[in-house]
Structure formats: structure tokens, C-alpha cells
Amino acid sequence: MILLSFDTEEFDVPREHGVDFTLEDGMKVSVEGTNRILDVLKQNGVKATFFCTGNFAKNAPEVMQRIMNEGHEVACHGVDHWQPKETDFAVSKQIVEQVTGRQVYGYRQPRMFPVSDEEIEKAGYRYNSSLNPAFIPGRYMHLTEPRTWFMKGGVMQIPASVTPLIRFPLFWLALHNLPQALYHWMVRRVLSKDGYFVTYFHPWEFYDLKEHPEFKMPFIIKNHSGRQMMQRLDSLIKMLKDRNHEFITFTEFVNRQHV
């Protein structure tokens, strides 16, 4: 089972590098990137889960409609990606459900910051995907946390996939910078060990970042961005489809675990 996901947020990375960047600027980049992602998914006939900020949902209702029309799941990703608040769990759910007209079951905290399990459950979520249990010094250093799904109270925790033993992360930066054959091999290792694979990307990775030096983006983020990233995502999906792996939404995954 393949749990493909996208943190559908307003692009704010230039702000991390001291660039004055407005919400309108960020939305322009993310809307274009989201549509490119949707094009790749549509061409391959696969489903994914889009974790959307309140800002994105409010400012791009037509893209939200396209996500739903094409069979994907919408989940929550806070309200303002640049300034996460403790009240985001509930407010994000209210905004996204109002925009979509659908009940939302999942949450992922911006930048994979820690979240309150009690608040997540209280807000009515069935699953939380805010953990990257990788071997990366800093906020992703979670060596004592489980690699695979587990329960906390009534909420399923669905960590991003990392390789067995050394816990190498297979999230977005890995696909940008590793040789594709190596990345594909590591994904297959995870699938053979765990039976499923969870990864995530962002819409702005599919925007042509190299054409915008004013964003002051690091090379490891710009590397293979834009149309090259569309090709890399397409190749990954085709490799997995050729091996008869099924692409499902996070809620479908939760339902199959009978919890």
C-alpha cells in the first residue's frame, strides 16, 4: 500500500532566508505546484492525501475542489504555515471542512512540530501524521519512536516512512537529491519490511525554483525542482504501479487496520 501525501501550504520558505514574501506571493507558487501534482496523479490514475493549511484552503477554493473532484482526500495542516498556534487543530478543521463541505479525519502539524495528542483527539481527528522518526539531528531526531503506525488513545499515528535499522528518511528531500534508482531501491526495502510506504512532498517543489534566485533557496531544495520533480514523481509512481502496489488515502489505510 502506498500512502502518498502532499503538505499543501502557502510557500513561505524564502521567509526562512530573510526574504520579504507575502501570502499572495506564496499562494501563487503553491497553486501552480498543486495543479502540476494533480496533473501527474491524474495521468497515472492514483489517489493521494492533501494536508491543507487553512490559508491555502481559503485562498484556493477552486484547487480544493479539483483535489476532491479527482478522488483525493483532504486533511488538515494547521492554519498559517509560518506561525503555528496551539489552537490550529480545531481552527484548521473548521476552515477546511467549511471550504470543502466534507468531514476531515487527519492532521499533520506544519514542519512536523510536536502536537498535543489530547487536543488532536478532542478535535475529532482519527489519525495524526506529524512524526518523521528519522535519524536527522534536530527536530526529526526521533529514534525512540516507532517506525510504523501505532495508536495513542483513539488516534492512529502514521509516521513518515524511514528505512529499517539506520532510519534514513525517504521524504521529499531524498527524492530531490538521491539518484532515482537508489531512492526506488530504498522504497522497495521499506515496502518489503513494513507492507506499506508513507511519504510527503510540497507543491512548491514542483514550481521552477531555479528560475527565481531572489527566493534565496538552498541548492538541496532547488535541485531537481519544477518539471524535473514532476518527472521524478511520475517515475516513482510508475515503478510502484508496475509492481502492483495500491495507492490509497490515509483514511482508507486507517479503515483497513480495523481501529
Side-chain angles (χ1 to χ4, degrees):
M1 294 176 287
I2 311 301
L3 284 72
L4 188 58
S5 64
F6 301 91
D7 289 359
T8 314
E9 66 214 26
E10 60 279 16
F11 177 53
D12 60 8
V13 182
R15 297 178 71 176
E16 297 180 19
H17 305 284
V19 178
D20 187 20
F21 211 71
T22 66
L23 175 59
E24 186 179 7
D25 293 332
M27 284 302 303
K28 178 185 173 185
V29 170
S30 290
V31 163
E32 182 169 334
T34 305
N35 279 316
R36 287 183 171 187
I37 290 166
L38 288 165
D39 289 345
V40 174
L41 300 180
K42 187 175 184 179
Q43 288 162 10
N44 285 284
V46 299
K47 290 188 288 187
T49 301
F50 287 76
F51 290 86
C52 303
T53 63
N55 278 348
F56 187 93
K58 285 190 293 186
N59 287 282
E62 68 293 337
V63 182
M64 299 293 290
Q65 192 61 51
R66 182 182 175 191
I67 290 170
M68 294 187 293
N69 288 348
E70 296 183 4
H72 308 294
E73 179 180 357
V74 173
C76 289
H77 190 45
V79 179
D80 184 306
H81 193 265
W82 184 248
Q83 293 181 309
K85 296 179 181 176
E86 290 183 4
T87 55
D88 281 354
F89 314 115
V91 178
S92 177
K93 199 168 191 287
Q94 290 167 4
I95 294 170
V96 174
E97 288 185 343
Q98 185 175 19
V99 170
T100 62
R102 294 186 180 181
Q103 188 169 358
V104 173
Y105 298 105
Y107 189 82
R108 177 177 289 154
Q109 183 76 329
R111 298 182 176 87
M112 292 282 196
F113 283 151
V115 296
S116 164
D117 299 304
E118 294 78 15
E119 292 298 322
I120 287 286
E121 189 164 4
K122 191 189 301 181
Y125 292 105
R126 294 184 64 199
Y127 67 86
N128 174 26
S129 186
S130 302
L131 175 63
N132 193 345
F135 183 70
I136 309 177
R139 69 171 183 260
Y140 293 144
M141 194 72 151
H142 299 294
L143 294 182
T144 60
E145 295 282 4
R147 284 180 51 257
T148 54
W149 74 268
F150 60 101
M151 298 298 296
K152 276 192 177 179
V155 179
M156 180 184 284
Q157 311 294 314
I158 308 178
S161 290
V162 295
T163 59
L165 301 178
I166 64 169
R167 293 192 175 217
F168 187 89
L170 296 175
F171 64 160
W172 60 284
L173 273 176
L175 187 56
H176 275 270
N177 294 287
L178 292 177
Q180 289 186 79
L182 175 59
Y183 183 87
H184 290 186
W185 177 78
M186 289 195 290
V187 169
R188 291 194 296 270
R189 277 202 69 207
V190 169
L191 280 162
S192 65
K193 174 77 172 176
D194 302 339
Y196 71 96
F197 173 66
V198 180
T199 193
Y200 66 98
F201 305 95
H202 310 84
W204 42 264
E205 300 169 52
F206 298 83
Y207 190 81
D208 297 305
L209 298 173
K210 289 180 181 178
E211 296 177 10
H212 295 275
E214 72 276 12
F215 291 172
K216 297 185 179 178
M217 304 287 283
F219 172 77
I220 61 169
I221 295 179
K222 290 191 297 184
N223 193 26
H224 297 114
S225 61
R227 296 192 183 279
Q228 288 180 311
M229 197 61 181
M230 291 177 71
Q231 179 273 320
R232 288 194 162 216
L233 178 62
D234 182 70
S235 295
L236 175 64
I237 291 172
K238 284 180 166 57
M239 180 275 291
L240 293 167
K241 285 186 70 177
D242 286 345
R243 286 163 173 76
N244 297 316
H245 294 295
E246 182 185 10
F247 287 75
I248 64 172
T249 66
F250 279 57
T251 292
E252 286 174 324
F253 181 80
V254 173
N255 289 341
R256 291 185 187 191
Q257 310 313 314
H258 307 294
V259 296

